[in-house]
């Protein structure tokens, strides 16, 4: 008897222990199942694990023969494009989890496209000074995000590093359009956001009074860019209001004022070019590109 009891107790302990193990396993499995069902938790985990990559079309293979006198400027803009795509991917990694569903488009991809348009316009202009000016390079400006971390399938022949960087540099040659003209609407746009709980307003210099007489053949393009400038300042002020509290101390400068300046430079450059086709080309309009935030 005395020896039978220990065996019974052992069997009992083994049974209880096994039941506990089964119960614990069920709890763990259920926990994983619930975690999997929580889309938000899963999405957050994926976002933190890999923000994805930005890929842009490669424009180098689309360029005509580059005149020797334009080679340095073209190469400089192509290098800037590569640098810009690297910077955009770095910003993508640094801002994981920030903003709402449109944050990447509004704060990274949109400004990047504007910068690329600017760089591509500068490349066209550089070549056009000594040979036939290429047109349509702006078709290679838009970039894409592959949220899975693999290279997105970019547009025409894109090589993620393509011109990403350069474009941005241009200061937004083509893109800026919108922002530029804003000057007029510049301060006005700011007013929009102004009423938003002390968000502040963005104001930009008014370039209209600094323009020479606009040739009739250039008026449509010039006025279109001026209108875009007014629209862009309104959009910048709206973004200012929509992103209150996002990012760190440099968020407004990096995500709103910086991209806006690039766009304005682009628009101002296009105004100069439009006038220059039929009269003396005005210079120095870029001095009216920088905007400020008033709280």
């Amino acid at each position: 008897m005395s020896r039978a009891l220990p065996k019974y107790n052992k069997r009992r302990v083994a049974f209880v222990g096994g039941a506990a193990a089964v119960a614990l396993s069920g709890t763990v499995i259920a926990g994983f199942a619930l975690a999997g069902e929580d889309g938000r938790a899963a999405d957050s985990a994926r976002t933190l694990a890999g923000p994805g990559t930005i890929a842009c079309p490669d424009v180098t293979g689309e360029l005509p023969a580059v005149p020797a006198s334009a080679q340095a400027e073209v190469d400089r803009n192509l290098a800037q494009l590569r640098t810009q795509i690297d910077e955009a991917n770095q910003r993508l990694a640094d801002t994981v989890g920030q903003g709402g569903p449109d944050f990447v488009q509004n704060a990274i991809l949109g400004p990047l496209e504007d910068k690329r348009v600017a760089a591509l316009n500068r490349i066209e202009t550089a070549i056009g000074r000594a040979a036939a000016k290429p047109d349509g390079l702006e078709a290679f400006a838009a970039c894409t995000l592959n949220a899975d971390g693999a290279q997105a399938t970019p547009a025409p022949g894109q090589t993620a590093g393509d011109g990403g960087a350069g474009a941005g540099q241009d200061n937004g040659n083509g893109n800026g359009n919108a922002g530029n003209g804003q000057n007029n609407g510049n301060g006005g746009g700011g007013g929009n956001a102004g009423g938003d709980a002390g968000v502040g307003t963005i104001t930009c210099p008014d370039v209209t009074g600094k323009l020479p007489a606009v040739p009739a053949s250039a008026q449509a393009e010039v006025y279109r860019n001026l209108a875009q400038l007014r629209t862009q300042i309104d959009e910048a002020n709206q973004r200012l209001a929509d992103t209150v509290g996002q990012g760190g101390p440099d968020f407004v400068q990096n995500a709103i004022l910086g991209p806006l300046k690039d766009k304005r430079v682009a628009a101002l450059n296009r105004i100069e070019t439009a006038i220059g086709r039929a009269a003396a080309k005005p210079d120095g309009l870029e001095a009216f590109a920088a905007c400020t935030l008033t709280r």
Side-chain angles (χ1 to χ4, degrees):
M1 287 286 290
S2 61
R3 278 183 294 199
L5 285 175
K7 291 180 181 178
Y8 173 78
N9 288 337
K10 287 178 182 178
R11 287 195 298 272
R12 184 179 180 188
V13 170
F15 176 80
V16 173
V22 170
L24 179 59
S25 298
T27 301
V28 173
I29 292 172
F32 278 117
L34 289 174
E37 284 187 272
D38 187 343
R40 287 172 300 178
D43 288 344
S44 296
R46 282 195 297 272
T47 299
L48 293 175
T53 57
I54 293 172
C56 307
D58 185 356
V59 72
T60 54
E62 306 298 326
L63 297 180
V66 179
S69 60
Q71 192 70 59
E73 186 171 355
V74 169
D75 288 346
R76 182 167 60 251
N77 279 283
L78 290 175
Q80 290 175 337
L81 287 170
R82 290 188 290 272
T83 299
Q84 182 62 31
I85 198 69
D86 291 339
E87 292 174 347
N89 273 301
Q90 185 59 54
R91 179 176 297 176
L92 181 67
D94 292 343
T95 57
V96 172
Q98 289 186 17
D102 298 324
F103 177 81
V104 172
Q105 179 59 47
N106 295 336
I108 300 178
L109 290 179
L112 175 59
E113 180 177 356
D114 290 335
K115 293 178 178 181
R116 286 176 62 80
V117 168
L120 293 169
N121 284 347
R122 296 212 297 195
I123 289 174
E124 291 177 341
T125 299
I127 295 175
R129 293 192 186 102
K133 180 181 178 181
D135 289 320
L137 295 185
E138 295 83 355
F140 297 86
C143 301
T144 56
L145 169 67
N146 181 351
D148 293 327
Q151 199 73 34
T153 53
Q158 84 194 27
T159 44
D162 194 335
Q169 288 188 257
D170 286 77
N171 10 257
N173 217 134
N175 335 313
N177 284 261
N180 238 130
Q182 275 190 182
N183 291 249
N184 331 288
N186 208 136
N192 282 352
D196 198 316
V199 177
T201 58
I202 293 174
T203 58
C204 310
D206 185 357
V207 71
T208 54
K210 305 297 177 179
L211 297 179
V214 179
S217 60
Q219 287 181 0
E221 185 171 357
V222 169
Y223 294 156
R224 180 168 62 250
N225 278 284
L226 291 175
Q228 291 176 334
L229 287 171
R230 289 189 291 273
T231 299
Q232 183 60 33
I233 198 67
D234 291 339
E235 292 174 346
N237 273 298
Q238 185 59 54
R239 181 177 297 175
L240 181 67
D242 292 343
T243 57
V244 173
Q246 289 185 18
D250 298 324
F251 178 81
V252 172
Q253 178 60 47
N254 295 336
I256 301 178
L257 290 179
L260 175 59
K261 179 180 179 181
D262 290 335
K263 293 178 178 181
R264 287 176 62 81
V265 168
L268 292 169
N269 284 347
R270 295 214 294 196
I271 289 173
E272 290 177 341
T273 299
I275 295 175
R277 292 193 187 102
K281 179 180 178 181
D283 289 319
L285 295 185
E286 294 83 355
F288 297 88
C291 302
T292 56
L293 171 65
T294 303
R295 298 224 179 242

